[in-house]
Amino acid sequence: MKRFMFPLFWRIFLSIWLAMAVTVVASNLATRYLLDRERQAIERQVGLHELAREALALRLGEDRGAMWRFLRAEGERLDLHLMLIEKEEGHHRLPRQIRERIQSGWYPNKPAVITLEEGYQLVAWPRMGSDGWLDPKFFRFVELGLAFVLISLACWWIARFVSRPLRHMESTAKAIADGDTQLRVPNRIARRRDEVGQLASAFNAMTDRLCQLLERQNHLLRDISHDLRTPLARQRVAIELASDGGADPALMDSILRQNERLETMTGQILTLYRVSENGGSMEREPVKPLALMNRVLRDAADYAEHRGVDCKLIAADDTRAVSVLGDSGLLQRALDNVLQNALDHTPPGKSVHASLALVDGSIQLDIADDGPGAPDELLQQLFEPFFRADKSRGGKGWGLGLAIARDIVNAHDGAISARNRSEGGLQVTIRLPVFIGG
C-alpha cells in the first residue's frame, strides 16, 4: 500500500503562511489588550461620572466658559483630556485619532465615554506622556516585534526541519565512505512522508545494493584466487617434471615464469581480501619501523641492483627507539609493496629515496622515486585495486601492490598518500601512530 505523501513544498508554504497568520492574530490580540488597559486606566479615575454631571450643570447654566475652565482644571488634576460634547452632533470636535477610535469598529476598546441622560457625553482620554497614555508608535513596535519573533521561530523550525535530516544523511554517507558499510539512515527519517523521506529510502536502497555488489566482488576474487592456487601448484610441478624430462628449456622457463606470475597475483588478491575483511582482528605487537625498513631494503637489494637503481635511507635520530603497534609481517608487506612500486618506475642509474621521521606524534615514512610521476587527477586512484596509470607509469604488475599497502596501513590506524615531487617523480607517504607502552 502506497503511503500518503505530504510534499516538502507544501510543508514549508503552510508553515510560513501559518506563522504569518499567527503573527497577525497575536499582534491584534496584544494591541486590544493594551488598549483595554488604557481604557481601564481612565475608567478607574474616581468620580469621573460626578465630574461629568458637574460639567453638564455648568453647560446647561449657559456658562460655557466656566465649563471649559472646570474641565481643564480637572483634566490637569487627573492627567486627562476631558471634553463634553453633544451625543449626536459633537463628535467632529474631537481630535482625529480619538474620533477614529470612537467611529471605527476595529477598536473595540475606545476612549472612556460617559453618557448622560440629557443627550451629552463626557469623553476622556489620557494626556500624552501620562501613565494611561499609549503612543500609537508603541502599538506599531509591538506588532513588528511580535512579527519578528514569530516569523524568526517559524524560519528556524523550517530550517531545522529540512537541514537536520540532510546533515544526518551527509554524516552517514561520510561514515560509509570511511568504511562503515553497516551504517544506514535511521528509519525515523526514511519513514517521513515527504521528499526527504524518499531521498533517505533511496539512499539506503542504493547503499544496500552497492554493499552487496562489493561483497560479491570480494567473495568472487577470494574464491577465484583460492581455487586457482591448487591447479597452479600442480601446473608448476608438471612444468618442472617436463623440464626434467628433456622438454625445450627455453619454453619451460617461459611457462614457469608465467606460472609464477599467476601464483604471485593470486597470493596478492588473497592478501588484499584478508586485510580488508580481518584487518581489525589481527594480532598486534610492538614493531620498530627503522628495523623493519632496513629489512625491506635488504630483501630488495638484489632486485634494485638488477634494475640499476640505488636505494638511500635517511632516518632521524629520534626514530631509532620508536615503535608502532601492529603485525610485523603485514607492515613489511606494505613497505615492500611501496618500495617495489618505486623501483619498478625508476629508470636505471637513478635513485629511490626513503626517509623516516617523527611528525606530530606519528612516524612518517616517505619513499620517493625518480620516475615520471602520475597525473594529479589520478593520484587518489593509485591505491585502488587493479588500477594502473598506464599513460604515465606503465610497467608490469596488476595494480594490487599499493592497494594492499593502503589496506594494511588503514588497518593499523595509519594513513597513506601520494604526491608528485617538484623535482620529478612520485612520493608515497605513510604515517603510523607511535606506540607508547609500558
Side-chain angles (χ1 to χ4, degrees), residues 164-410:
R164 188 176 182 182
L166 295 180
R167 287 199 304 269
H168 194 98
M169 282 190 281
E170 178 189 10
S171 62
T172 302
K174 288 181 178 179
I176 293 174
D178 291 337
D180 188 0
T181 57
Q182 301 300 318
L183 198 61
R184 298 292 183 273
V185 178
N187 287 332
R188 60 181 175 81
I189 298 178
R191 283 198 296 262
R192 283 179 44 156
R193 297 181 178 182
D194 56 17
E195 290 83 351
V196 175
Q198 289 181 324
L199 177 61
S201 298
F203 178 87
N204 284 343
M206 176 192 68
T207 305
D208 288 338
R209 180 60 176 164
L210 290 177
C211 289
Q212 289 176 3
L213 292 175
L214 289 174
E215 186 176 359
R216 290 179 183 177
Q217 176 184 346
N218 288 335
H219 281 280
L220 179 63
L221 289 175
R222 180 201 62 185
D223 294 341
I224 291 177
S225 301
H226 187 271
D227 291 342
L228 279 175
R229 299 192 76 174
T230 299
L232 285 175
R234 293 175 179 174
Q235 186 185 60
R236 181 183 182 87
V237 173
I239 294 172
E240 292 175 351
L241 290 175
S243 299
D244 294 340
D248 184 7
L251 178 61
M252 290 297 102
D253 288 343
S254 176
I255 296 175
L256 185 59
R257 284 195 300 270
Q258 299 304 318
N259 178 269
E260 290 173 350
R261 283 174 57 85
L262 286 174
E263 286 184 343
T264 302
M265 181 182 68
T266 55
Q268 287 184 334
I269 294 175
L270 285 174
T271 301
L272 183 65
Y273 176 80
R274 283 198 299 268
V275 174
S276 302
E277 294 295 317
N278 306 311
S281 60
M282 63 185 174
E283 295 185 2
R284 300 171 185 255
E285 60 181 1
V287 179
K288 293 189 179 299
L290 180 57
L292 189 64
M293 190 61 202
N294 281 324
R295 190 157 61 246
V296 170
L297 288 172
R298 284 197 302 270
D299 292 344
D302 291 340
Y303 182 69
E305 184 179 359
H306 172 74
R307 292 275 304 166
V309 175
D310 188 21
C311 293
K312 302 176 181 180
L313 173 63
I314 300 176
D317 292 337
D318 55 1
T319 62
R320 296 182 181 278
V322 171
S323 297
V324 298
L325 192 63
D327 185 294
S328 176
L330 288 177
L331 286 173
Q332 181 173 346
R333 181 65 175 272
L335 299 183
D336 183 69
N337 285 356
V338 175
L339 181 62
Q340 288 293 330
N341 182 78
L343 291 172
D344 286 340
H345 299 96
T346 300
K350 299 290 185 178
S351 300
V352 171
H353 309 273
S355 63
L356 206 60
L358 277 176
V359 179
D360 298 330
S362 298
I363 190 74
Q364 177 171 310
L365 172 66
D366 295 320
I367 298 179
D369 62 49
D370 287 335
D376 291 337
E377 65 273 11
L378 300 180
L379 289 177
Q380 292 301 321
Q381 300 181 53
L382 292 178
F383 300 98
E384 297 298 325
F386 301 106
F387 177 81
R388 294 173 61 192
D390 292 330
K391 293 182 179 180
S392 60
R393 295 177 64 83
K396 61 183 181 179
W398 305 275
L400 290 171
L402 292 181
I404 293 173
R406 178 200 62 182
D407 287 351
I408 292 175
V409 171
N410 289 342

Side-chain angles (χ1 to χ4, degrees), residues 13-32 106 139-156 158:
F13 174 82
L14 290 177
S15 298
I16 296 176
W17 186 89
L18 287 174
M20 296 180 68
V22 170
T23 299
V24 172
V25 172
S27 61
N28 277 280
L29 289 176
T31 301
R32 292 181 182 221
W106 182 253
F139 296 138
R140 190 175 303 112
F141 174 78
V142 170
E143 292 177 354
L144 291 176
L146 280 172
F148 175 79
V149 171
L150 292 176
I151 292 179
S152 296
L153 287 174
C155 292
W156 172 84
I158 292 171

Side-chain angles (χ1 to χ4, degrees), residues 78-92:
L78 299 174
D79 215 4
L80 295 172
H81 289 291
L82 299 172
M83 289 191 69
L84 184 67
I85 61 174
E86 296 182 25
K87 186 176 181 180
E88 299 297 334
E89 301 177 358
H91 284 175
H92 66 280

